[in-house]
């Protein structure tokens, strides 16, 4: 049964898109933005079997004493009367700007990574609170969390060599132009090698356009520099190989945005050998990550129990259970259909709603969930709605849609804390 009002612990007086080519999204946007969104795909075909769910983690949680000793206030991200950056980390910041919590987590993660066999439960617990930048920690931890590296440290070298060799073989076999002998170029048969060639050419052209639009504000991805060109080529090759190996899904617009954080993190590994193999490592981690979201990219499954609309409905139900007043105002009074904003939030894993560094922090928590990123992602989306409830309750259709399609800057640690708090309340 839905709650009549929000629980006491949520009450606080301080609560105060590149044009899309997807027909399902085109009518949702008030005005063109600079964000790429996803498009529909073809028939779904499993990539990797999903993992068996296990108990949820205590992601981004704070010490219990913080919750019980005082009332915690959920602050609006841009409420000028609230101190968004006042948290435990800031109070303990070192002169260099690195908090003592970050230093402690880095030491804990390094200790876990140095063990002969990594304790995944402990690794997830630490990483879910955010992985400090530097020392190549995030690169290694993400590979472990995505199942690319085995827990046994002694197996890493051989496993990486095998996977990288396999990817090299994929490229050699799949990125070559087809050899055609004796077949007419206008042959229309589905098995025609020319027909396949024309289909591949169309997909490759779409990938090329999308890759060039990836994070245009970052020199790492955009521009005419040798670095940007090299990185664009790597992203393009990964996506083309993926499309050819997965003909049931192929390439869907927006996949480049999911691939970008992986490649960025791996390519910036301070270990030169690891950085040089970023393309191969990114490919396999991309496959693992996408396996949990593959049905969201299949238009034919939109209305099924595993499709994107079903997932969006779960988010709507989360909000209704925790804040029925806000849910009613959004969906009944102002008629803001959650598909108008949540489609992009969910399919692109929030990569377009926050700056790049904050997105990496969010991904630390998403990837740390042993059930897979989706459950945590939905709770983060729910927290995003609740944290701007004051403005949403005061807004109409136009203002609310604009706010949710251009989400304000936020304290990410606070957002993740709220998401975890909501999740723990739901499980009680």
């Amino acid at each position: 049964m839905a709650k009549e009002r929000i629980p006491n612990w949520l009450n606080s007086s301080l609560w105060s898109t590149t044009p899309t080519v997807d027909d399902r999204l085109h009518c949702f946007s008030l005005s063109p933005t600079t964000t790429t969104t996803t498009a529909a795909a073809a028939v779904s075909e499993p990539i990797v079997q999903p993992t068996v769910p296990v108990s949820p983690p205590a992601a981004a949680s704070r010490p219990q004493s913080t919750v019980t000793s005082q009332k915690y206030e959920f602050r609006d991200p841009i409420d000028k009367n609230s101190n968004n950056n006042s948290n435990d980390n800031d109070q303990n910041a070192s002169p260099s700007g690195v908090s003592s919590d970050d230093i402690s987590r880095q030491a804990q993660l390094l200790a876990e990574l140095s063990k002969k066999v990594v304790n995944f439960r402990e690794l997830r617990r630490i990483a879910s609170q955010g992985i400090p930048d530097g020392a190549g920690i995030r690169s290694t931890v993400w590979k472990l969390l995505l199942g690319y590296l085995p827990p046994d440290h002694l197996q890493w070298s051989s496993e990486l060599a095998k996977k990288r060799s396999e990817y090299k073989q994929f490229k050699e076999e799949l990125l070559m132009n087809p050899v055609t002998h004796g077949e007419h170029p206008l042959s229309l048969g589905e098995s025609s090698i020319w027909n396949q060639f024309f289909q591949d050419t169309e997909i490759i052209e779409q990938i090329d356009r999308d890759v060039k639009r990836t994070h245009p504000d970052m020199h790492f991805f955009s521009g005419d520099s040798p670095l940007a060109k090299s990185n664009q080529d790597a992203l393009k090759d990964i996506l083309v190989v993926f499309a050819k190996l997965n003909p049931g899904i192929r390439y869907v617009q927006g996949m480049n945005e999911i691939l970008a954080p992986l490649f960025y993190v791996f390519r910036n590994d301070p270990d030169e050998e690891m950085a040089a193999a970023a393309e191969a490592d990114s490919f396999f981690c991309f496959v693992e990550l996408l396996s949990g979201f593959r049905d969201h990219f299949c238009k034919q499954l939109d209305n099924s129990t595993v499709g994107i609309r079903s997932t969006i409905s779960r988010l709507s139900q989360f909000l209704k259970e925790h804040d029925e007043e806000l849910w009613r105002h959004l969906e009944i009074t102002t008629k803001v259909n959650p598909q108008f904003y949540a489609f992009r939030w969910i399919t692109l894993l929030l990569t377009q709603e926050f700056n790049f560094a904050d997105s990496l922090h969010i991904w630390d928590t998403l990837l740390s969930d042993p059930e897979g990123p989706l459950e945590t992602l939905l709770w983060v989306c729910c927290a995003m709605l609740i944290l701007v409830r004051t403005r949403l309750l005061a807004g109409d259709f136009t203002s609310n849609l604009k706010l949710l399609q251009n989400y304000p800057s936020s304290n990410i640690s606070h957002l993740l804390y709220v998401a975890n708090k909501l999740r723990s309340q739901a499980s009680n």
Side-chain angles (χ1 to χ4, degrees):
M1 179 180 295
K3 300 176 183 178
E4 294 300 323
R5 62 182 179 83
I6 61 175
N8 291 333
W9 68 275
L10 286 178
N11 284 315
S12 171
S13 60
L14 292 177
W15 290 13
S16 357
T17 50
T18 251
T20 161
V21 298
D22 188 343
D23 291 336
R24 296 175 292 171
L25 292 176
H26 185 69
C27 61
F28 297 166
S29 184
L30 291 173
S31 60
T33 66
T34 58
T35 304
T36 302
T37 51
T38 57
V43 178
S44 176
E45 178 175 288
I47 308 169
V48 178
Q49 291 297 322
T51 56
V52 179
V54 295
S55 58
S61 61
R62 295 201 178 189
Q64 186 65 28
S65 59
T66 304
V67 179
T68 57
S69 62
Q70 62 181 6
K71 181 177 178 181
Y72 199 90
E73 296 175 322
F74 282 10
R75 302 181 179 89
D76 189 312
I78 61 171
D79 186 342
K80 297 185 184 302
N81 296 320
S82 67
N83 183 3
N84 275 338
N85 295 319
S86 62
N87 53 35
D88 297 341
N89 291 352
D90 295 326
Q91 295 174 5
N92 299 322
S94 67
S96 64
V98 180
S99 73
S100 59
D101 284 350
D102 282 348
I103 295 173
S104 175
R105 278 200 305 278
Q106 177 169 310
Q108 293 177 63
L109 287 168
L110 286 172
E112 283 300 321
L113 296 178
S114 66
K115 293 179 179 178
K116 180 180 178 181
V117 178
V118 176
N119 183 331
F120 267 74
R121 182 174 181 178
E122 186 65 10
L123 184 71
R124 290 189 180 100
R125 183 191 68 78
I126 304 168
S128 68
Q129 300 172 47
I131 302 172
D133 294 321
I137 296 177
R138 180 177 276 126
S139 173
T140 303
V141 172
W142 279 17
K143 290 170 186 174
L144 283 162
L145 294 176
L146 286 165
Y148 182 56
L149 286 177
D152 189 340
H153 199 289
L154 296 179
Q155 296 178 11
W156 289 7
S157 179
S158 60
E159 190 67 21
L160 288 174
K162 181 178 70 175
K163 290 292 187 181
R164 291 164 181 172
S165 176
E166 186 177 355
Y167 178 72
K168 181 179 179 181
Q169 184 177 357
F170 286 156
K171 289 186 64 175
E172 292 174 351
E173 294 178 355
L174 298 174
L175 301 187
M176 300 287 291
N177 287 331
V179 178
T180 57
H181 295 292
E183 187 172 48
H184 197 283
L186 298 182
S187 173
L188 300 179
E190 291 186 6
S191 61
S192 166
I193 197 168
W194 278 103
N195 185 50
Q196 185 64 48
F197 171 77
F198 291 133
Q199 289 183 29
D200 290 347
T201 300
E202 183 178 358
I203 290 174
I204 291 171
E205 290 175 351
Q206 179 65 60
I207 290 173
D208 186 59
R209 289 192 296 270
D210 290 348
V211 163
K212 290 178 179 177
R213 292 196 293 257
T214 302
H215 292 288
D217 57 329
M218 295 178 63
H219 295 300
F220 181 86
F221 293 109
S222 182
D224 296 325
S225 68
L227 172 67
K229 289 292 186 182
S230 173
N231 294 336
Q232 289 172 10
D233 289 342
L235 293 178
K236 179 179 176 181
D237 286 350
I238 292 170
L239 293 170
V240 172
V241 170
F242 175 85
K244 291 193 173 188
L245 288 177
N246 294 275
I249 298 178
R250 298 181 74 78
Y251 171 76
V252 182
Q253 190 174 17
M255 287 182 176
N256 58 303
E257 303 292 351
I258 299 176
L259 173 61
L262 295 170
F263 183 76
Y264 177 88
V265 168
F266 299 161
R267 187 67 182 86
N268 283 286
D269 193 315
D271 184 314
E272 293 183 2
E273 182 180 352
M274 289 293 185
E279 183 179 330
D281 296 348
S282 297
F283 169 78
F284 286 104
C285 288
F286 175 71
V287 170
E288 289 290 340
L289 178 59
L290 209 62
S291 67
F293 298 94
R294 63 184 182 275
D295 295 332
H296 292 167
F297 289 93
C298 179
K299 187 173 183 178
Q300 283 81 355
L301 294 177
D302 277 357
N303 296 316
S304 72
T305 57
V306 296
I308 183 62
R309 288 177 183 168
S310 176
T311 301
I312 292 175
S313 294
R314 287 187 62 204
L315 170 60
S316 176
Q317 187 61 32
F318 284 179
L319 179 63
K320 184 177 181 180
E321 291 174 354
H322 285 277
D323 192 342
E324 185 169 349
E325 180 186 12
L326 178 56
W327 171 84
R328 188 173 299 279
H329 181 74
L330 281 175
E331 299 194 25
I332 307 299
T333 304
T334 62
K335 301 187 184 304
V336 177
N337 190 312
Q339 291 186 47
F340 297 171
Y341 57 89
F343 189 101
R344 187 177 76 187
W345 288 9
I346 294 171
T347 54
L348 299 189
L349 309 189
L350 297 175
T351 57
Q352 302 301 288
E353 314 314 316
F354 303 97
N355 67 50
F356 195 77
D358 286 345
S359 295
L360 298 184
H361 187 176
I362 292 173
W363 276 37
D364 293 338
T365 302
L366 297 182
L367 300 182
S368 297
D369 191 333
E371 293 184 29
L374 181 57
E375 194 72 14
T376 298
L377 175 63
L378 291 179
W379 287 114
V380 173
C381 291
C382 186
M384 288 169 64
L385 295 168
I386 289 176
L387 283 173
V388 292
R389 75 182 309 270
T390 298
R391 277 175 287 174
L392 290 174
L393 289 173
D396 56 12
F397 173 86
T398 301
S399 62
N400 285 346
L401 189 57
K402 183 178 180 180
L403 174 64
L404 296 176
Q405 290 185 341
N406 299 274
Y407 197 80
S409 299
S410 306
N411 181 323
I412 300 303
S413 295
H414 181 67
L415 171 63
L416 295 174
Y417 168 73
V418 173
N420 186 61
K421 183 66 174 177
L422 291 168
R423 185 174 185 175
S424 63
Q425 290 283 312
S427 62
N428 292 337

